């Protein structure tokens, strides 16, 4: 399809979704004509355009741009850089988006976030056509329904792009993927384009923060709240204050922070940020299995959550009191050791204990879940004692961050092909242990082969269910107190030590 017609179809999409208003239509058309080095606009019949047509329109525009020499290579990184530039022509200026958000917020915070989330999708900042590729299912466990995802929405870089990125001079602008300076940035081979990206400024504890959505939306309205300054993450008194400050502004969202130490922290520890969203995870649904009374805080409900990781839930109407108790618990945990449970606050001067906190509002009460974390390593467990153990690495080897802690597995893309190949090999009666790629799954397969033998037509669902059970084991490995008598006694000892 010719480029001028594709531009008109893109404009029809933009007006239909509300990205471009009638008053800006001519201006936007001319920007696109300039981008594609065209002198005249298409004047014929455009045809009907649906929301889901965007991907095909952008693909065709990238094909034409490559043929016209506007893209130097046809790899996915170059195409992403270019189609983001195209979409950047359609997205309203930051001031317009912020004004609309503030206007809607006065009516209802839900209306404001609904508008901003839709804009983030319609602008292709959230690439819906990639997100739908993710494989998702639910596995029932004794701890509730765990969300399992195989992440297929992050495209694999082509070899040319990888080589080009290695040759590029290391740039310091923007300093990271979370910095404010990403808004409108053109990108490069080793940094994504963000011309279609918009950030809502929010005030958190009298300081300027940004509010945006994750381009990978692992769950409904997966948002990121980040400091306007590029400063490292730290779990401290201010963290709890900031979490509740956000929840009070957006009471329909939960918000949490990754821990601030390697192994048990997130992938970006260099920039202070939180993750939240409009979603209730299995951990949030999990009940309190044992209540505690902490001296001086009798007005706050404190309980151990029925969860494979070690979670204390604080609940009450007064966030100041919750924060006060959270400070006490954090200070106690930072310096706490229990040799019986292999918990050491530090070794050779290196601190190990920290917390993953999650805040939410439930009815008239506020809740703060404090997940106890420890990043100690040993020769037997070089990646972490409280990290997925080696026997589970064939499924999940990566760090257990905030999202996984709450009960959503983000599994590597390789599993999609490996599980399909494993299914085919089992049904064909092949020797799994002799297969170079699949042999790592052999011991695991033996643990549930009888289920497949009894119901071979259901092998796909059985494998998915068993993957979910592995994730439950992953969370159990990451728990500092194990779910046995000795572990629960250790948990009680820690709570008793809080003064």
């Amino acid at each position: 399809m010719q480029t001028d017609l594709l531009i008109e179809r893109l404009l029809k999409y933009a007006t239909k979704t509300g990205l471009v208003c009638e008053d800006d239509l001519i201006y936007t058309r001319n920007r696109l004509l300039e981008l594609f080095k065209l002198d005249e606009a298409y004047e014929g019949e455009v045809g009907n355009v649906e929301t889901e047509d965007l991907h095909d329109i952008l693909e065709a525009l990238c094909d034409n741009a490559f043929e016209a020499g506007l893209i130097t290579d046809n790899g996915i990184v170059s195409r992403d850089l270019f189609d983001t530039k195209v979409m950047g022509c359609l997205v309203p200026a930051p001031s317009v988006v912020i004004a609309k958000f503030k206007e809607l917020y006065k009516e209802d915070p839900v209306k404001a976030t609904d508008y901003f989330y839709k804009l983030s999708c319609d602008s292709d900042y959230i690439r819906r056509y990639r997100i739908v590729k993710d494989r998702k299912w639910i596995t029932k466990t004794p701890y509730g329904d765990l969300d399992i995802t195989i992440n297929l929405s992050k495209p694999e870089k082509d070899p040319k792009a990888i080589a080009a990125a290695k040759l590029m001079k290391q740039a310091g602008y923007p300093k990271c993927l979370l910095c404010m300076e990403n808004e409108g940035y053109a990108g490069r081979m080793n940094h994504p384009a963000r011309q279609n990206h918009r950030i809502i400024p929010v005030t958190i504890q009298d300081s300027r923060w940004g509010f945006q959505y994750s381009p990978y939306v692992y769950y409904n309205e997966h948002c990121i709240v980040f400091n306007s300054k590029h400063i490292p993450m730290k779990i401290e008194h201010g963290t709890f204050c900031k979490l509740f400050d956000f929840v009070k502004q957006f009471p329909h969202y939960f918000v949490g922070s990754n821990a601030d130490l390697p192994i048990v922290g997130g992938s970006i520890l260099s920039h202070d940020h939180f993750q939240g969203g409009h979603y209730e995870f299995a951990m949030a649904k999990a009940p309190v299995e044992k209540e505690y009374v902490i001296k001086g805080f009798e007005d706050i409900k404190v309980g151990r959550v029925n969860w494979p990781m070690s979670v204390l839930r604080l609940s009450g109407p007064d966030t100041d009191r919750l924060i006060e108790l959270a400070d006490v618990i954090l200070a106690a945990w930072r310096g706490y050791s229990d040799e019986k449970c292999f918990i050491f606050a530090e070794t050779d001067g290196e601190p190990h204990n920290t917390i993953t906190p999650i805040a939410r509002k439930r009815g008239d009460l506020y809740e703060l879940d404090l997940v106890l974390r420890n990043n100690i390593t040993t020769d037997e467990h070089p990646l972490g004692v409280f990290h997925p153990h080696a026997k589970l690495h064939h499924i999940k080897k990566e760090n257990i961050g905030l999202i996984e802690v709450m009960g959503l597995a983000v599994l590597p893309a390789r599993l999609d092909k490996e599980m399909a190949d494993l299914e085919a090999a089992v049904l064909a009666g092949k020797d799994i242990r002799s297969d170079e790629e699949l042999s790592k799954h052999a011991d695991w397969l033996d643990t549930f082969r009888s289920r497949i033998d009894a119901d071979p037509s259901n092998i796909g669902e059985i494998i998915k269910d068993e993957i979910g059970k592995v994730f439950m084991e992953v969370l159990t490995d990451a728990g500092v107190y194990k779910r046995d008598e000795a572990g629960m006694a250790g948990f009680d000892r820690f709570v008793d030590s809080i003064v």
Side-chain angles (χ1 to χ4, degrees), residues 316-383:
D318 186 347
T319 57
D320 288 341
R321 289 288 286 161
L322 293 178
I323 291 166
E324 190 179 348
L325 178 53
D327 285 342
V328 171
I329 293 171
L330 175 62
W333 180 245
R334 290 278 196 199
Y336 187 78
S337 294
D338 185 345
E339 190 172 346
K340 290 181 180 177
C341 296
F342 205 79
I343 294 170
F344 298 94
E346 58 89 18
T347 54
D348 299 325
E350 180 187 350
H352 296 303
N353 288 351
T354 186
I355 279 175
T356 299
I358 302 105
R360 67 182 75 87
K361 190 175 185 187
R362 195 185 296 276
D364 294 329
L365 300 178
Y366 290 94
E367 286 183 354
L368 183 63
D369 285 352
L370 302 176
V371 187
L372 307 178
R373 311 298 301 273
N374 179 289
N375 75 345
I376 195 169
T377 60
T378 63
D379 290 341
E380 183 184 0
H381 300 294
L383 297 182

Side-chain angles (χ1 to χ4, degrees), residues 203-253:
T203 301
I204 306 287
Q205 289 292 292
D206 298 321
S207 61
R208 187 167 182 258
W209 283 56
F211 168 66
Q212 67 179 55
Y213 289 103
S214 165
Y216 304 112
V217 285
Y218 291 129
Y219 50 86
N220 188 47
E221 295 178 41
H222 177 184
C223 70
I224 300 172
V225 189
F226 57 100
N227 200 313
S228 64
K229 297 177 181 178
H230 183 78
I231 57 175
M233 292 185 65
K234 189 175 183 183
I235 303 298
E236 57 186 356
H237 168 79
T239 306
F240 306 133
C241 297
K242 291 165 187 170
L243 292 175
F244 278 124
D245 201 346
F246 180 82
V247 168
K248 287 178 180 179
Q249 294 180 59
F250 301 93
H252 58 300
Y253 276 13

Side-chain angles (χ1 to χ4, degrees), residues 420-435 438 445-446 449 452-453 456 459:
D421 291 347
L422 183 65
E423 182 178 333
V426 170
L427 292 177
K430 293 182 179 178
D431 178 15
I432 305 300
R433 293 185 184 279
S434 65
D435 187 295
L438 299 179
L445 177 65
D446 286 345
R449 188 181 279 273
I452 297 172
D453 293 341
I459 183 173

Side-chain angles (χ1 to χ4, degrees), residues 141 143-147 254-256 279-288 304-313 356-360 362 367-373 401-408 471 475:
T141 75
Y143 303 103
D145 294 345
L146 299 183
D147 293 301
F254 82 89
V255 68
Y279 191 70
E280 188 173 34
F281 287 88
M283 192 183 83
K285 298 176 186 176
V288 166
R304 185 179 75 212
V305 178
N306 180 34
W307 192 244
M309 295 186 71
S310 307
V311 187
L312 272 174
R313 178 167 294 158
T356 299
I358 302 105
R360 67 182 75 87
R362 195 185 296 276
E367 286 183 354
L368 183 63
D369 285 352
L370 302 176
V371 187
L372 307 178
R373 311 298 301 273
L402 173 67
I403 295 172
E404 286 93 352
V405 163
M406 296 185 292
L408 190 155
F471 180 57
L475 294 180

